[in-house]
């Protein structure tokens, strides 16, 4: 009997993760590439990188049972490129919040998403029933990586003005942008179509400073935690339903500083003390694997047992 193969993929503005695995949940190959949004790079570059990744992943693969994916902006090309390389029984497009909660082996709960942007979702049996936030960088994204990065750059500007205390982030931010004054950052960002991603990338500096005890950086994370707690609390209140599941903190911004998660948990537990608040075991791409297995009839506990430590290359750390 021929072995059955599956492909799962997750990709957005900064990176794509893809994994080829078999019916026993053994990882065969993994692939990565940079982001898939044309705001940040030309479409032909995205397609070329995608082709290169798929050539490596699907070498000697003639058939896929299913492809489960969430690819921002390039889903059509992704599916077309795979179809040109092998036979595919089904393509299934996953939604970001459903991947997030599935990566923690749940189908019902609340997702506090803080990546480049931010949202709060109430999810019941794999379907979104409530969304709070997600208004984008001009009107929202509170508590997101973009928001943390923006407030870190503002801290440099406020220090420059004499309005706020000094922070060790200031020198590191100037060095990152290769400038001597904050005004040069203003000019660079005003002319940059990739400004949102560039600003969000400053969180690496915020994280470093916070983990070294910088008070300004820690305050920025505390503020981010507060904003995310407001979104989650509003989502739970508005849902007006019993939620049989945890609150899951998902997204890259949570990885920067444990204080952010602790402050968020403290605020949410002040209103909803009985909720379990966790972080997922895996990155969202594994959520696609879980969603596929549930669609094929496996129970969640069985999936969790079968996956075991086989996808530890995608541990959420």
């Amino acid at each position: 009997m021929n072995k059955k193969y599956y492909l799962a993929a997750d990709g957005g503005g900064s990176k794509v993760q893809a994994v080829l695995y078999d019916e026993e949940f053994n990882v065969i190959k993994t692939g990565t590439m940079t982001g898939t949004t044309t705001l940040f790079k030309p479409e032909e570059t995205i397609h070329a990188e995608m082709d290169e990744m798929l050539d490596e992943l699907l070498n000697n693969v003639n058939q896929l049972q299913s492809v489960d994916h969430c690819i921002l902006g390039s889903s059509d090309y992704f599916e077309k490129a795979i179809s040109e390389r092998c036979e595919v029984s089904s393509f299934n497009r996953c939604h970001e919040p459903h991947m997030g909660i599935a990566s923690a082996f749940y189908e019902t709960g609340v997702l506090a998403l803080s990546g480049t942007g931010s949202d709060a979702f109430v999810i019941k049996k794999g379907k979104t029933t409530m969304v709070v936030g997600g208004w984008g960088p001009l009107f929202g994204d509170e508590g997101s990586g973009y928001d943390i990065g923006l407030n870190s750059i503002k801290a440099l500007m406020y220090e420059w003005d004499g309005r706020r205390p000094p922070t060790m982030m200031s020198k590191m931010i100037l060095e990152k942008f290769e400038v001597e004054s904050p005004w040069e950052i203003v000019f660079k960002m005003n002319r940059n179509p990739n400004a949102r991603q560039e600003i969000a990338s400053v969180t690496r500096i915020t994280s470093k400073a916070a983990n070294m005890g910088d008070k300004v950086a820690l305050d920025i994370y505390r503020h981010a935690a507060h904003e995310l707690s407001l979104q989650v609390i509003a989502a739970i209140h508005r849902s007006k339903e019993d939620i049989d599941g945890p609150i899951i903190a998902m997204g890259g911004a949570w990885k920067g500083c444990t204080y952010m998660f602790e402050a968020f948990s403290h605020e949410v537990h002040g209103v909803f003390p009985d909720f379990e608040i966790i972080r997922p075991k895996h990155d969202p791409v594994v959520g696609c694997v879980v969603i596929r297995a549930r669609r094929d009839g496996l129970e969640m506990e069985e999936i969790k047992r079968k996956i075991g430590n086989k996808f530890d290359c995608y541990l959420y750390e």
Side-chain angles (χ1 to χ4, degrees):
M1 180 178 177
N2 292 329
K3 186 171 286 191
K4 295 180 180 179
Y5 293 103
Y6 304 84
L7 184 70
D10 169 51
S14 59
K15 67 178 178 179
V16 174
Q17 293 178 320
V19 56
L20 177 71
Y21 64 101
D22 66 19
E23 57 195 317
E24 299 300 324
F25 297 95
N26 296 306
V27 173
I28 308 302
K29 289 182 183 178
T30 63
T32 60
M33 60 173 280
T34 57
T36 57
T37 172
T38 54
L39 288 173
F40 307 151
K41 60 184 180 181
E43 187 175 55
E44 57 268 24
T45 302
I46 295 170
H47 292 176
E49 290 183 11
M50 195 172 285
D51 286 333
E52 183 178 357
M53 179 184 73
L54 292 173
D55 282 342
E56 176 62 25
L57 270 174
L58 301 178
N59 184 33
N60 295 324
V61 175
N62 297 318
Q63 183 175 17
L64 291 169
Q65 296 302 307
S66 73
V67 175
D68 300 271
H69 67 92
C70 178
I71 302 293
L72 177 65
S74 299
S75 292
D76 289 342
Y77 186 84
F78 184 70
E79 293 183 0
K80 175 176 177 290
I82 293 173
S83 296
E84 291 171 349
R85 288 164 172 80
C86 64
E87 182 180 341
V88 181
S89 298
S90 69
F91 286 100
N92 305 281
R93 298 187 183 186
C94 302
H95 298 288
E96 188 175 29
H98 306 159
M99 284 193 310
I101 197 168
S103 66
F105 300 103
Y106 284 92
E107 292 179 293
T108 296
V110 182
L111 189 70
L113 182 62
S114 179
T116 303
S118 68
D119 319 70
F121 302 88
V122 175
I123 301 164
K124 300 203 75 174
K125 297 181 179 179
K127 295 183 179 180
T128 299
T129 62
M130 181 59 61
V131 182
V132 170
W135 297 107
L138 287 179
F139 303 107
D141 279 351
E142 300 93 338
S144 67
Y146 169 78
D147 189 45
I148 292 167
L150 183 63
N151 284 326
S152 300
I153 295 172
K154 285 182 177 181
L156 158 65
M157 294 171 174
Y158 295 160
E159 178 185 342
W160 193 271
D161 282 345
R163 288 190 276 168
R164 295 281 175 85
T167 167
M168 66 175 65
M169 293 187 293
S170 295
K171 182 179 178 182
M172 290 188 282
I173 293 172
L174 291 173
E175 289 174 350
K176 169 185 168 55
F177 287 102
E178 300 179 338
V179 297
E180 295 184 359
S181 83
W183 278 112
E184 294 175 82
I185 298 175
V186 174
F187 295 136
K188 279 192 171 187
M189 291 301 97
N190 281 338
R191 300 167 182 169
N192 188 347
N194 192 23
R196 183 172 182 249
Q197 200 68 31
E198 287 281 342
I199 291 169
S201 72
V202 173
T203 56
R204 297 186 185 95
I205 292 171
T206 321
S207 172
K208 182 177 180 179
N211 289 317
M212 293 173 67
D214 184 86
K215 185 179 182 302
V216 175
L218 287 167
D219 283 346
I220 289 170
Y221 275 115
R222 179 194 55 74
H223 177 73
H226 173 68
E227 292 293 343
L228 289 164
S229 72
L230 292 178
Q231 293 184 51
V232 165
I233 290 166
I236 296 171
H237 276 311
R238 288 185 61 201
S239 70
K240 298 179 180 178
E241 296 180 89
D242 290 333
I243 301 169
D244 183 21
I247 296 169
I248 301 168
M250 183 77 201
W254 291 104
K255 299 180 181 182
C257 180
T258 56
Y259 174 67
M260 177 175 163
F261 181 78
E262 293 165 1
F264 169 81
S265 300
H266 178 75
E267 291 211 29
V268 173
H269 276 152
V271 181
F272 297 109
D274 295 331
F275 267 97
E276 182 184 14
I277 303 176
I278 64 172
R279 285 184 278 195
K281 181 178 179 181
H282 297 102
D283 286 332
V285 66
V286 179
C288 286
V289 177
V290 175
I291 289 170
R292 190 280 304 171
R294 284 290 291 131
R295 188 178 65 246
D296 287 353
L298 275 67
E299 296 298 326
M300 192 64 81
E301 284 303 313
E302 184 182 5
I303 297 168
K304 191 174 182 179
R305 178 179 57 80
K306 284 179 174 290
I307 285 180
N309 61 359
K310 294 178 180 179
F311 285 82
D312 280 4
C313 56
Y314 293 112
L315 287 178
Y316 183 83
E317 296 176 331

